[in-house]
Structures are given as C-alpha cells and as structure tokens.
Amino acid sequence: EIADLDAFGGAAAEHVRDRLAASVDERAEPADVDPLVDWPAIRELYPDLREVARRLRRTVLESRPIRMRHHADGDGMCASVPVQLALERFIDDIHADAEAKRHLLKRLPSKAPYYEMEDATRDLNFSLEDQARHGQKLPLLLMLDNGSTEEDTPAHETISHYDIPILVVDHHHPDPEAVDPLVDHHVNPYLYGEDYRVTTGMMCVELARMIAPGMGDELDHVPAIAGISDRSKAEVMSDYLQLAREAGYEEAFLHDVSEALDYEAFWLRYDAGRDLVNDVLNVGGDPERQRELVPWLAARAERDVERQLDAAEPHVEHETVSSGAQLYRIDVENYAHRFTYPAPGKTTGEIHDRKVEEAGEPVITIGYGPDFAVLRSDGVRMDIPNMVAELNEAFPGAGVSGGGHLVVGSIRFVSGMRETILDALVEKMADAEIDEELHSSLTR
Ligand code: MN
C-alpha cells in the first residue's frame, strides 16, 4: 500500500526518537494513589512499588510480554490476580487488538514457595519458542510471593542468560546478596526492617492500583484475605478487615474465601484457572457466583481436612523436649491419604494448629515423609535456613536442602539418611530457645 518511503536521518531521526521516548516515559508513569490503609510499613515500600508499576507499564507500552509467576497459595493469588486484572485493563487501553492481553500476559502458579528449576526451564523454553515461532519479544518475568530466597537463585540464573528482566515482589525471608545481582528490582519488607506481616497480597493490591487508575473499591476485600491466608499478625489487620466489611465482606466469609482459594489451587495444579479464580476471589469475576461457590468450596475443603486428620491424628507421636516445648511428630507418608487435599504441608499445619490450641505454646510439629520433613513452630526461636546449613555440615552424605521462613519451612534429604536427619533435627529443635513472640506465619 505504500508507494514511496523516506527514512528519517540525522537530527530529524533523533528528534522523533526523543519525542517517542518522552511520551513512553509519560505514559509509563503510575497512577497517583494513596495506600488503602494508613500504615508506615506500606508507605515505606511505596516508592519501590511505584518503580515496579512504572516498569510494568513501560513493558506493556513496548509490547513486551509479561510472564507472572506466583506462589500457588491464598496470599500468592491475592497478589497475582489483582495485578493480572490491572495489567489486562492497561493492555486493553493501549492495544487496539482485543486479544492482545492473551499474548502479552500469562499468570502461572508455582507449587513451591520458591522459583523451581522446572518452572524456570519451562518459562525460558516457552519464551524462546514464542520468539522463534511468532516473532514475540522475550518477556519480562514478574515474581510474586516468590523469588526472594537463595533457593530461587539457580532459576534466576537460568533466566539471566537471556534478555529477560526479572522483577520480584515477595515477603519470604530474603537473601539480597544472592538475589539482587540476578534481578532488576527486588521488593521485600525485610529489606526495610519489616517482616512477613506485610504480605505479598497487601503489597500487590497497591501495585495493581498504581498500574491501572480507577480501580475504585473493587480490591478492598483482598488485603484482608491475603493477611488471613498468611496469618499476618500486623496490627493493621483490623483496618483491612474494616475495609473489607465496608465492601460487604464479613470476616467469616473472608476465611472461607481463603480456604476456597487454597482448595482450588490444589486441584488446579499447574493451571492458572483464570476465570474460576477470578470468581472465587471476586476480582474481575462474578460477585453472585462468588457467594454460591465459596461456601461450597470451603465446606468441601473442611470436610477433606477432617477426613485427613481422622486418619492421621491417632498416629501423632508426642514428647516434651528439654526446652519445655511440646514436640509432635507425624509420618504423613504412611498415616495420611496421599494425592488428595490436604497435601503433607497443610496436613502438618492443621495438626500443628490443633496442638497449639490444645496445649498452648510453645509447640513444634514435624510432618515427615521418605525424603522430606515439614516444620512448624510457635513460640520457639528457630532458624530453619541455618539448621539446614548445620545439618549439611554435620552429614555431608545426606543431601539436605530447603528452608523457607525462620520458624516454618520444609527440608529435603536423601531417603537413606532419613532416621539420622530426623533425629538430628529433633535434637536441634529441642535446643531451640523459647520465645513467645515467634509464630508460624506460612503454612506451605
Ligand atoms: Mn505469602
């Protein structure tokens, strides 16, 4: 259709390039919003979150795809679903093609609370295929409720061999020395002397409001659900619950949404389940459907937990260790239903919660299988990442790895060393100091 074409050169080209760059800068500027609740912890993180919002808007303006990876739990979904909705709206604003959002944005759940090699390799492989086959740009990778720990670094490194920028918004105990050289932006409350109480969902609701202006009150219930899911002990939880109440959500219903999200995440496995999850959370979903779906899903989840605990509880072994803490052990491989909800991590967590309720703190619970152990503790000063390092030093042939938060996490080892490692683990836990202030935050 073009009969004649002249290329700009020299100063004219420079001028056009500058104007384009200036207008992209202008349009990448995030929406000017204030935090939903007045909380210094969130205020401190605001400039960091604005930087991530700016980068994401710019990525959309440049027609570069975004791959969003998130922990497949309640908080991870409260983080990723609002950001997904905001990015879809912004993509619709910018791109005339109604299908653009399908090519430019993918939300992908990760089973582990860190970026696994399997996921990273798949992400890289799909990105390179999309580039080769459809001429797409290599994506930007957005890690939510995932990405901050030393365990994430092999995956980050895999990705970093290619031109794929990585942005991280997470609240797992971070290892900035290992992670920061590999990622473009790393937002984590621990980097500001805060902790996991600031959940990823709380941060990402603010991020979503910065990405798409005019979100209104449609996300007002989400931070409370995120906090409930990750057992946030923040004082500001009462403000978030109040905000949710004003949006028509009673606290009991928020708990049900949290359970329903967890239940759906289990059955969806590697599928994002976009429309289903949008309905359950009622973010870009159908509010009436949510009212029908959530109580049903929550009841199913509760029934399945009961069934699991009926089988497991008679097999829980108990001892009082030298520090005075109550220690409970359960073999989740042999005394729990397998391949069904709840998985070993949550099964251990549910047993732990019951024991805390029965016995009061301090309580330590270990759920173990042939080559793994899930650890939960309340009121005990533990440092799981450090324990892993010590076990590795003491037992070079046990292949101990893992970590997580300080007082809750999971470790892996080779199955032939199970008895040795479990005994050593119990000994270390028995020595751990009692501290009423320390609580299990995350269950999985
Ligand atoms: Mn979380």
Side-chain angles (χ1 to χ4, degrees):
E1 293 172 11
I2 297 165
D4 194 30
L5 190 71
D6 279 328
F8 271 140
E14 202 57 39
H15 177 67
V16 171
R17 256 196 292 271
D18 288 350
R19 277 191 49 191
L20 274 173
S23 84
V24 167
D25 282 349
E26 196 182 307
R27 296 192 78 174
E29 191 60 22
D32 199 7
V33 288
D34 283 315
L36 285 177
V37 298
D38 191 18
W39 188 18
I42 275 283
R43 284 227 174 259
E44 266 189 321
L45 288 160
Y46 238 55
D48 252 355
L49 291 170
R50 272 186 77 84
E51 211 38 64
V52 171
R54 182 176 292 119
R55 187 66 189 264
L56 290 171
R57 285 174 61 96
R58 171 180 289 279
T59 304
V60 170
L61 289 164
E62 291 169 347
S63 298
R64 180 174 203 156
I66 295 170
R67 271 181 100 84
M68 190 193 294
R69 274 278 172 195
H70 66 89
H71 188 202
D73 74 344
D75 181 44
M77 297 217 252
C78 287
S80 57
V81 173
V83 172
Q84 169 186 251
L85 180 69
L87 283 170
E88 284 176 354
R89 288 200 182 151
F90 187 55
I91 292 169
D92 276 343
D93 272 357
I94 298 299
H95 297 271
D97 177 6
E99 291 293 290
K101 55 179 172 278
R102 297 210 313 155
H103 315 301
L104 291 180
L105 179 65
K106 287 206 168 54
R107 174 172 75 78
L108 302 147
S110 285
K111 282 278 152 202
Y114 61 91
Y115 194 23
E116 288 179 292
M117 273 304 266
E118 187 181 346
D119 291 340
T121 308
R122 288 168 68 87
D123 286 342
L124 185 56
N125 185 39
F126 278 117
S127 304
L128 293 173
E129 269 180 18
D130 280 347
Q131 187 189 38
R133 218 186 286 162
H134 309 294
Q136 277 203 13
K137 293 184 180 178
L138 288 177
L140 172 141
L141 189 73
L142 175 62
M143 310 280 317
L144 302 178
D145 201 29
N146 234 339
S148 271
T149 70
E150 204 266 329
E151 276 184 289
D152 294 87
T153 53
H156 290 329
E157 233 175 315
T158 305
I159 298 286
S160 69
H161 291 122
Y162 288 84
D163 172 30
I164 300 176
I166 304 174
L167 312 181
V168 176
V169 182
D170 193 4
H171 72 148
H172 289 90
H173 197 260
D175 191 333
E177 253 168 65
V179 169
D180 288 1
L182 298 168
V183 306
D184 281 51
H185 214 94
H186 184 189
V187 186
N188 190 306
Y190 282 95
L191 303 176
Y192 286 89
E194 263 295 328
D195 63 19
Y196 69 86
R197 301 182 305 157
V198 188
T199 73
T200 315
M202 293 169 186
M203 292 187 275
C204 285
V205 161
E206 302 297 342
L207 178 62
R209 296 169 64 240
M210 293 170 180
I211 293 167
M215 277 297 209
D217 59 2
E218 62 196 304
L219 302 178
D220 283 2
H221 58 297
V222 179
I225 300 170
I228 288 168
S229 298
D230 269 4
R231 298 147 185 265
S232 171
K233 297 274 196 291
E235 312 89 70
V236 82
M237 270 305 284
S238 57
D239 294 347
Y240 279 134
L241 288 169
Q242 179 59 29
L243 193 69
R245 201 168 302 121
E246 283 160 20
Y249 289 85
E250 290 307 318
E251 189 173 344
F253 189 76
L254 299 174
H255 278 270
D256 281 356
V257 175
S258 168
E259 289 301 318
L261 284 174
D262 203 41
Y263 194 59
E264 289 299 60
F266 179 85
W267 296 115
L268 281 164
R269 296 173 61 88
Y270 298 100
D271 220 310
R274 179 185 175 276
D275 300 284
L276 184 54
V277 172
N278 287 4
D279 283 344
V280 172
L281 191 55
N282 188 27
V283 168
D286 176 348
E288 273 168 51
R289 184 81 68 206
Q290 184 198 36
R291 294 288 159 176
E292 281 173 32
L293 212 49
V294 164
W296 185 81
L297 287 169
R300 290 289 299 190
E302 198 186 320
R303 191 206 65 168
D304 289 2
V305 167
E306 287 302 326
R307 203 170 50 174
Q308 187 71 294
L309 291 201
D310 283 348
E313 260 197 317
H315 305 283
V316 174
E317 290 170 32
H318 168 246
E319 64 189 287
T320 305
V321 294
S322 55
S323 67
Q326 306 304 315
L327 177 85
Y328 298 92
R329 274 196 260 191
I330 175 69
D331 176 350
V332 286
E333 175 74 7
N334 291 308
Y335 300 114
H337 300 288
R338 296 168 68 195
F339 312 116
T340 190
Y341 185 88
K346 186 169 169 89
T347 302
T348 307
E350 292 285 344
I351 291 171
H352 178 78
D353 289 347
R354 289 193 182 192
K355 296 304 178 190
V356 170
E357 217 161 278
E358 275 172 32
E361 295 169 18
V363 169
I364 303 165
T365 308
I366 308 176
Y368 59 90
D371 61 354
F372 69 88
V374 179
L375 314 173
R376 291 283 306 267
S377 71
D378 272 79
V380 183
R381 182 176 291 281
M382 294 212 305
D383 182 343
I384 293 172
N386 187 44
M387 254 186 228
V388 168
E390 286 177 9
L391 286 171
N392 247 324
E393 209 165 293
F395 306 101
V400 180
S401 68
H405 294 270
L406 293 174
V407 298
V408 52
S410 64
I411 68 168
R412 300 200 149 266
F413 37 80
V414 295
S415 54
M417 290 292 279
R418 178 171 92 166
E419 295 312 318
T420 313
I421 293 300
L422 284 179
D423 288 347
L425 203 56
V426 168
E427 219 169 280
K428 285 190 184 304
M429 291 177 128
D431 289 342
E433 238 176 278
I434 305 297
D435 184 338
E436 310 286 296
E437 289 296 296
L438 289 169
H439 300 281
S440 282
S441 56
L442 310 188
T443 51
R444 290 156 292 273

mmCIF file with all atom_site columns, all heavy atoms in Angstrom, residues 319-337:
data_model
loop_
_atom_site.group_PDB
_atom_site.id
_atom_site.type_symbol
_atom_site.label_atom_id
_atom_site.label_alt_id
_atom_site.label_comp_id
_atom_site.label_asym_id
_atom_site.label_entity_id
_atom_site.label_seq_id
_atom_site.pdbx_PDB_ins_code
_atom_site.Cartn_x
_atom_site.Cartn_y
_atom_site.Cartn_z
_atom_site.occupancy
_atom_site.B_iso_or_equiv
_atom_site.pdbx_formal_charge
_atom_site.auth_seq_id
_atom_site.auth_comp_id
_atom_site.auth_asym_id
_atom_site.auth_atom_id
_atom_site.pdbx_PDB_model_num
ATOM 1   N N   . GLU A 1 319 ? 6.262  -35.762 72.525 1.00 0.00 ? 319 GLU A N   1
ATOM 2   C CA  . GLU A 1 319 ? 7.224  -35.752 73.641 1.00 0.00 ? 319 GLU A CA  1
ATOM 3   C C   . GLU A 1 319 ? 7.429  -34.307 74.106 1.00 0.00 ? 319 GLU A C   1
ATOM 4   O O   . GLU A 1 319 ? 7.193  -33.369 73.344 1.00 0.00 ? 319 GLU A O   1
ATOM 5   C CB  . GLU A 1 319 ? 8.568  -36.365 73.229 1.00 0.00 ? 319 GLU A CB  1
ATOM 6   C CG  . GLU A 1 319 ? 9.308  -35.598 72.153 1.00 0.00 ? 319 GLU A CG  1
ATOM 7   C CD  . GLU A 1 319 ? 10.522 -36.365 71.629 1.00 0.00 ? 319 GLU A CD  1
ATOM 8   O OE1 . GLU A 1 319 ? 11.513 -36.444 72.376 1.00 0.00 ? 319 GLU A OE1 1
ATOM 9   O OE2 . GLU A 1 319 ? 10.478 -36.858 70.490 1.00 0.00 ? 319 GLU A OE2 1
ATOM 10  N N   . THR A 1 320 ? 7.816  -34.168 75.362 1.00 0.00 ? 320 THR A N   1
ATOM 11  C CA  . THR A 1 320 ? 8.179  -32.845 75.858 1.00 0.00 ? 320 THR A CA  1
ATOM 12  C C   . THR A 1 320 ? 9.697  -32.764 75.802 1.00 0.00 ? 320 THR A C   1
ATOM 13  O O   . THR A 1 320 ? 10.372 -33.591 76.414 1.00 0.00 ? 320 THR A O   1
ATOM 14  C CB  . THR A 1 320 ? 7.685  -32.639 77.297 1.00 0.00 ? 320 THR A CB  1
ATOM 15  O OG1 . THR A 1 320 ? 6.277  -32.886 77.329 1.00 0.00 ? 320 THR A OG1 1
ATOM 16  C CG2 . THR A 1 320 ? 7.949  -31.210 77.775 1.00 0.00 ? 320 THR A CG2 1
ATOM 17  N N   . VAL A 1 321 ? 10.237 -31.806 75.057 1.00 0.00 ? 321 VAL A N   1
ATOM 18  C CA  . VAL A 1 321 ? 11.693 -31.736 74.906 1.00 0.00 ? 321 VAL A CA  1
ATOM 19  C C   . VAL A 1 321 ? 12.309 -30.889 76.014 1.00 0.00 ? 321 VAL A C   1
ATOM 20  O O   . VAL A 1 321 ? 11.602 -30.228 76.778 1.00 0.00 ? 321 VAL A O   1
ATOM 21  C CB  . VAL A 1 321 ? 12.091 -31.206 73.501 1.00 0.00 ? 321 VAL A CB  1
ATOM 22  C CG1 . VAL A 1 321 ? 11.670 -32.194 72.424 1.00 0.00 ? 321 VAL A CG1 1
ATOM 23  C CG2 . VAL A 1 321 ? 11.528 -29.828 73.243 1.00 0.00 ? 321 VAL A CG2 1
ATOM 24  N N   . SER A 1 322 ? 13.665 -30.904 76.072 1.00 0.00 ? 322 SER A N   1
ATOM 25  C CA  . SER A 1 322 ? 14.347 -30.309 77.226 1.00 0.00 ? 322 SER A CA  1
ATOM 26  C C   . SER A 1 322 ? 14.051 -28.818 77.412 1.00 0.00 ? 322 SER A C   1
ATOM 27  O O   . SER A 1 322 ? 14.045 -28.320 78.529 1.00 0.00 ? 322 SER A O   1
ATOM 28  C CB  . SER A 1 322 ? 15.855 -30.534 77.091 1.00 0.00 ? 322 SER A CB  1
ATOM 29  O OG  . SER A 1 322 ? 16.286 -30.036 75.846 1.00 0.00 ? 322 SER A OG  1
ATOM 30  N N   . SER A 1 323 ? 13.770 -28.106 76.341 1.00 0.00 ? 323 SER A N   1
ATOM 31  C CA  . SER A 1 323 ? 13.480 -26.673 76.478 1.00 0.00 ? 323 SER A CA  1
ATOM 32  C C   . SER A 1 323 ? 12.101 -26.443 77.086 1.00 0.00 ? 323 SER A C   1
ATOM 33  O O   . SER A 1 323 ? 11.754 -25.326 77.451 1.00 0.00 ? 323 SER A O   1
ATOM 34  C CB  . SER A 1 323 ? 13.534 -26.002 75.104 1.00 0.00 ? 323 SER A CB  1
ATOM 35  O OG  . SER A 1 323 ? 12.480 -26.484 74.297 1.00 0.00 ? 323 SER A OG  1
ATOM 36  N N   . GLY A 1 324 ? 11.301 -27.509 77.162 1.00 0.00 ? 324 GLY A N   1
ATOM 37  C CA  . GLY A 1 324 ? 9.941  -27.361 77.682 1.00 0.00 ? 324 GLY A CA  1
ATOM 38  C C   . GLY A 1 324 ? 8.897  -27.300 76.575 1.00 0.00 ? 324 GLY A C   1
ATOM 39  O O   . GLY A 1 324 ? 7.697  -27.282 76.846 1.00 0.00 ? 324 GLY A O   1
ATOM 40  N N   . ALA A 1 325 ? 9.342  -27.271 75.339 1.00 0.00 ? 325 ALA A N   1
ATOM 41  C CA  . ALA A 1 325 ? 8.400  -27.210 74.217 1.00 0.00 ? 325 ALA A CA  1
ATOM 42  C C   . ALA A 1 325 ? 7.756  -28.580 73.989 1.00 0.00 ? 325 ALA A C   1
ATOM 43  O O   . ALA A 1 325 ? 8.354  -29.612 74.286 1.00 0.00 ? 325 ALA A O   1
ATOM 44  C CB  . ALA A 1 325 ? 9.126  -26.765 72.952 1.00 0.00 ? 325 ALA A CB  1
ATOM 45  N N   . GLN A 1 326 ? 6.515  -28.552 73.482 1.00 0.00 ? 326 GLN A N   1
ATOM 46  C CA  . GLN A 1 326 ? 5.832  -29.791 73.121 1.00 0.00 ? 326 GLN A CA  1
ATOM 47  C C   . GLN A 1 326 ? 6.192  -30.111 71.674 1.00 0.00 ? 326 GLN A C   1
ATOM 48  O O   . GLN A 1 326 ? 5.995  -29.274 70.792 1.00 0.00 ? 326 GLN A O   1
ATOM 49  C CB  . GLN A 1 326 ? 4.310  -29.619 73.243 1.00 0.00 ? 326 GLN A CB  1
ATOM 50  C CG  . GLN A 1 326 ? 3.850  -29.109 74.600 1.00 0.00 ? 326 GLN A CG  1
ATOM 51  C CD  . GLN A 1 326 ? 4.333  -30.000 75.737 1.00 0.00 ? 326 GLN A CD  1
ATOM 52  O OE1 . GLN A 1 326 ? 4.252  -31.225 75.674 1.00 0.00 ? 326 GLN A OE1 1
ATOM 53  N NE2 . GLN A 1 326 ? 4.889  -29.370 76.773 1.00 0.00 ? 326 GLN A NE2 1
ATOM 54  N N   . LEU A 1 327 ? 6.709  -31.313 71.452 1.00 0.00 ? 327 LEU A N   1
ATOM 55  C CA  . LEU A 1 327 ? 7.104  -31.705 70.102 1.00 0.00 ? 327 LEU A CA  1
ATOM 56  C C   . LEU A 1 327 ? 6.184  -32.815 69.598 1.00 0.00 ? 327 LEU A C   1
ATOM 57  O O   . LEU A 1 327 ? 5.977  -33.810 70.285 1.00 0.00 ? 327 LEU A O   1
ATOM 58  C CB  . LEU A 1 327 ? 8.551  -32.182 70.089 1.00 0.00 ? 327 LEU A CB  1
ATOM 59  C CG  . LEU A 1 327 ? 9.050  -32.694 68.732 1.00 0.00 ? 327 LEU A CG  1
ATOM 60  C CD1 . LEU A 1 327 ? 9.532  -31.547 67.863 1.00 0.00 ? 327 LEU A CD1 1
ATOM 61  C CD2 . LEU A 1 327 ? 10.145 -33.720 68.900 1.00 0.00 ? 327 LEU A CD2 1
ATOM 62  N N   . TYR A 1 328 ? 5.614  -32.601 68.425 1.00 0.00 ? 328 TYR A N   1
ATOM 63  C CA  . TYR A 1 328 ? 4.732  -33.596 67.814 1.00 0.00 ? 328 TYR A CA  1
ATOM 64  C C   . TYR A 1 328 ? 5.327  -34.055 66.492 1.00 0.00 ? 328 TYR A C   1
ATOM 65  O O   . TYR A 1 328 ? 5.872  -33.246 65.754 1.00 0.00 ? 328 TYR A O   1
ATOM 66  C CB  . TYR A 1 328 ? 3.337  -33.005 67.581 1.00 0.00 ? 328 TYR A CB  1
ATOM 67  C CG  . TYR A 1 328 ? 2.663  -32.600 68.859 1.00 0.00 ? 328 TYR A CG  1
ATOM 68  C CD1 . TYR A 1 328 ? 2.800  -31.295 69.348 1.00 0.00 ? 328 TYR A CD1 1
ATOM 69  C CD2 . TYR A 1 328 ? 1.919  -33.516 69.589 1.00 0.00 ? 328 TYR A CD2 1
ATOM 70  C CE1 . TYR A 1 328 ? 2.213  -30.919 70.540 1.00 0.00 ? 328 TYR A CE1 1
ATOM 71  C CE2 . TYR A 1 328 ? 1.321  -33.142 70.786 1.00 0.00 ? 328 TYR A CE2 1
ATOM 72  C CZ  . TYR A 1 328 ? 1.464  -31.849 71.253 1.00 0.00 ? 328 TYR A CZ  1
ATOM 73  O OH  . TYR A 1 328 ? 0.880  -31.486 72.426 1.00 0.00 ? 328 TYR A OH  1
ATOM 74  N N   . ARG A 1 329 ? 5.209  -35.365 66.241 1.00 0.00 ? 329 ARG A N   1
ATOM 75  C CA  . ARG A 1 329 ? 5.740  -35.927 65.004 1.00 0.00 ? 329 ARG A CA  1
ATOM 76  C C   . ARG A 1 329 ? 4.670  -36.737 64.308 1.00 0.00 ? 329 ARG A C   1
ATOM 77  O O   . ARG A 1 329 ? 3.956  -37.501 64.956 1.00 0.00 ? 329 ARG A O   1
ATOM 78  C CB  . ARG A 1 329 ? 6.893  -36.877 65.328 1.00 0.00 ? 329 ARG A CB  1
ATOM 79  C CG  . ARG A 1 329 ? 8.197  -36.162 65.457 1.00 0.00 ? 329 ARG A CG  1
ATOM 80  C CD  . ARG A 1 329 ? 9.298  -37.164 65.386 1.00 0.00 ? 329 ARG A CD  1
ATOM 81  N NE  . ARG A 1 329 ? 9.773  -37.467 66.733 1.00 0.00 ? 329 ARG A NE  1
ATOM 82  C CZ  . ARG A 1 329 ? 10.885 -38.154 66.961 1.00 0.00 ? 329 ARG A CZ  1
ATOM 83  N NH1 . ARG A 1 329 ? 11.591 -38.634 65.957 1.00 0.00 ? 329 ARG A NH1 1
ATOM 84  N NH2 . ARG A 1 329 ? 11.279 -38.375 68.192 1.00 0.00 ? 329 ARG A NH2 1
ATOM 85  N N   . ILE A 1 330 ? 4.558  -36.589 63.003 1.00 0.00 ? 330 ILE A N   1
ATOM 86  C CA  . ILE A 1 330 ? 3.604  -37.404 62.259 1.00 0.00 ? 330 ILE A CA  1
ATOM 87  C C   . ILE A 1 330 ? 4.236  -37.881 60.944 1.00 0.00 ? 330 ILE A C   1
ATOM 88  O O   . ILE A 1 330 ? 4.841  -37.086 60.220 1.00 0.00 ? 330 ILE A O   1
ATOM 89  C CB  . ILE A 1 330 ? 2.280  -36.629 61.998 1.00 0.00 ? 330 ILE A CB  1
ATOM 90  C CG1 . ILE A 1 330 ? 1.310  -37.420 61.099 1.00 0.00 ? 330 ILE A CG1 1
ATOM 91  C CG2 . ILE A 1 330 ? 2.542  -35.266 61.386 1.00 0.00 ? 330 ILE A CG2 1
ATOM 92  C CD1 . ILE A 1 330 ? 0.710  -38.646 61.731 1.00 0.00 ? 330 ILE A CD1 1
ATOM 93  N N   . ASP A 1 331 ? 4.082  -39.157 60.691 1.00 0.00 ? 331 ASP A N   1
ATOM 94  C CA  . ASP A 1 331 ? 4.552  -39.737 59.441 1.00 0.00 ? 331 ASP A CA  1
ATOM 95  C C   . ASP A 1 331 ? 3.439  -39.546 58.398 1.00 0.00 ? 331 ASP A C   1
ATOM 96  O O   . ASP A 1 331 ? 2.484  -40.326 58.351 1.00 0.00 ? 331 ASP A O   1
ATOM 97  C CB  . ASP A 1 331 ? 4.835  -41.231 59.684 1.00 0.00 ? 331 ASP A CB  1
ATOM 98  C CG  . ASP A 1 331 ? 5.233  -41.960 58.412 1.00 0.00 ? 331 ASP A CG  1
ATOM 99  O OD1 . ASP A 1 331 ? 5.109  -41.382 57.321 1.00 0.00 ? 331 ASP A OD1 1
ATOM 100 O OD2 . ASP A 1 331 ? 5.667  -43.124 58.522 1.00 0.00 ? 331 ASP A OD2 1
ATOM 101 N N   . VAL A 1 332 ? 3.561  -38.486 57.606 1.00 0.00 ? 332 VAL A N   1
ATOM 102 C CA  . VAL A 1 332 ? 2.477  -38.160 56.656 1.00 0.00 ? 332 VAL A CA  1
ATOM 103 C C   . VAL A 1 332 ? 2.503  -39.062 55.425 1.00 0.00 ? 332 VAL A C   1
ATOM 104 O O   . VAL A 1 332 ? 1.568  -39.064 54.628 1.00 0.00 ? 332 VAL A O   1
ATOM 105 C CB  . VAL A 1 332 ? 2.509  -36.674 56.204 1.00 0.00 ? 332 VAL A CB  1
ATOM 106 C CG1 . VAL A 1 332 ? 2.013  -35.770 57.311 1.00 0.00 ? 332 VAL A CG1 1
ATOM 107 C CG2 . VAL A 1 332 ? 3.892  -36.246 55.739 1.00 0.00 ? 332 VAL A CG2 1
ATOM 108 N N   . GLU A 1 333 ? 3.564  -39.816 55.294 1.00 0.00 ? 333 GLU A N   1
ATOM 109 C CA  . GLU A 1 333 ? 3.643  -40.723 54.148 1.00 0.00 ? 333 GLU A CA  1
ATOM 110 C C   . GLU A 1 333 ? 2.757  -41.948 54.399 1.00 0.00 ? 333 GLU A C   1
ATOM 111 O O   . GLU A 1 333 ? 2.024  -42.379 53.519 1.00 0.00 ? 333 GLU A O   1
ATOM 112 C CB  . GLU A 1 333 ? 5.112  -41.150 53.960 1.00 0.00 ? 333 GLU A CB  1
ATOM 113 C CG  . GLU A 1 333 ? 5.338  -42.180 52.877 1.00 0.00 ? 333 GLU A CG  1
ATOM 114 C CD  . GLU A 1 333 ? 5.206  -41.595 51.482 1.00 0.00 ? 333 GLU A CD  1
ATOM 115 O OE1 . GLU A 1 333 ? 5.069  -40.364 51.358 1.00 0.00 ? 333 GLU A OE1 1
ATOM 116 O OE2 . GLU A 1 333 ? 5.239  -42.384 50.526 1.00 0.00 ? 333 GLU A OE2 1
ATOM 117 N N   . ASN A 1 334 ? 2.822  -42.465 55.616 1.00 0.00 ? 334 ASN A N   1
ATOM 118 C CA  . ASN A 1 334 ? 2.118  -43.719 55.908 1.00 0.00 ? 334 ASN A CA  1
ATOM 119 C C   . ASN A 1 334 ? 0.789  -43.535 56.624 1.00 0.00 ? 334 ASN A C   1
ATOM 120 O O   . ASN A 1 334 ? -0.037 -44.440 56.623 1.00 0.00 ? 334 ASN A O   1
ATOM 121 C CB  . ASN A 1 334 ? 3.019  -44.645 56.733 1.00 0.00 ? 334 ASN A CB  1
ATOM 122 C CG  . ASN A 1 334 ? 4.180  -45.158 55.902 1.00 0.00 ? 334 ASN A CG  1
ATOM 123 O OD1 . ASN A 1 334 ? 3.974  -45.691 54.806 1.00 0.00 ? 334 ASN A OD1 1
ATOM 124 N ND2 . ASN A 1 334 ? 5.396  -44.965 56.380 1.00 0.00 ? 334 ASN A ND2 1
ATOM 125 N N   . TYR A 1 335 ? 0.581  -42.368 57.261 1.00 0.00 ? 335 TYR A N   1
ATOM 126 C CA  . TYR A 1 335 ? -0.642 -42.211 58.046 1.00 0.00 ? 335 TYR A CA  1
ATOM 127 C C   . TYR A 1 335 ? -1.499 -41.035 57.582 1.00 0.00 ? 335 TYR A C   1
ATOM 128 O O   . TYR A 1 335 ? -2.186 -40.401 58.370 1.00 0.00 ? 335 TYR A O   1
ATOM 129 C CB  . TYR A 1 335 ? -0.311 -42.087 59.532 1.00 0.00 ? 335 TYR A CB  1
ATOM 130 C CG  . TYR A 1 335 ? 0.412  -43.321 60.033 1.00 0.00 ? 335 TYR A CG  1
ATOM 131 C CD1 . TYR A 1 335 ? 1.731  -43.249 60.467 1.00 0.00 ? 335 TYR A CD1 1
ATOM 132 C CD2 . TYR A 1 335 ? -0.225 -44.568 60.040 1.00 0.00 ? 335 TYR A CD2 1
ATOM 133 C CE1 . TYR A 1 335 ? 2.403  -44.382 60.900 1.00 0.00 ? 335 TYR A CE1 1
ATOM 134 C CE2 . TYR A 1 335 ? 0.443  -45.701 60.468 1.00 0.00 ? 335 TYR A CE2 1
ATOM 135 C CZ  . TYR A 1 335 ? 1.752  -45.612 60.899 1.00 0.00 ? 335 TYR A CZ  1
ATOM 136 O OH  . TYR A 1 335 ? 2.412  -46.730 61.314 1.00 0.00 ? 335 TYR A OH  1
ATOM 137 N N   . ALA A 1 336 ? -1.415 -40.717 56.291 1.00 0.00 ? 336 ALA A N   1
ATOM 138 C CA  . ALA A 1 336 ? -2.307 -39.700 55.735 1.00 0.00 ? 336 ALA A CA  1
ATOM 139 C C   . ALA A 1 336 ? -2.645 -40.141 54.312 1.00 0.00 ? 336 ALA A C   1
ATOM 140 O O   . ALA A 1 336 ? -1.859 -40.853 53.686 1.00 0.00 ? 336 ALA A O   1
ATOM 141 C CB  . ALA A 1 336 ? -1.615 -38.338 55.714 1.00 0.00 ? 336 ALA A CB  1
ATOM 142 N N   . HIS A 1 337 ? -3.828 -39.727 53.842 1.00 0.00 ? 337 HIS A N   1
ATOM 143 C CA  . HIS A 1 337 ? -4.185 -40.049 52.450 1.00 0.00 ? 337 HIS A CA  1
ATOM 144 C C   . HIS A 1 337 ? -3.256 -39.298 51.525 1.00 0.00 ? 337 HIS A C   1
ATOM 145 O O   . HIS A 1 337 ? -2.937 -38.132 51.770 1.00 0.00 ? 337 HIS A O   1
ATOM 146 C CB  . HIS A 1 337 ? -5.629 -39.627 52.164 1.00 0.00 ? 337 HIS A CB  1
ATOM 147 C CG  . HIS A 1 337 ? -6.625 -40.309 53.044 1.00 0.00 ? 337 HIS A CG  1
ATOM 148 N ND1 . HIS A 1 337 ? -6.941 -41.638 52.912 1.00 0.00 ? 337 HIS A ND1 1
ATOM 149 C CD2 . HIS A 1 337 ? -7.352 -39.849 54.085 1.00 0.00 ? 337 HIS A CD2 1
ATOM 150 C CE1 . HIS A 1 337 ? -7.839 -41.970 53.829 1.00 0.00 ? 337 HIS A CE1 1
ATOM 151 N NE2 . HIS A 1 337 ? -8.104 -40.894 54.556 1.00 0.00 ? 337 HIS A NE2 1
#
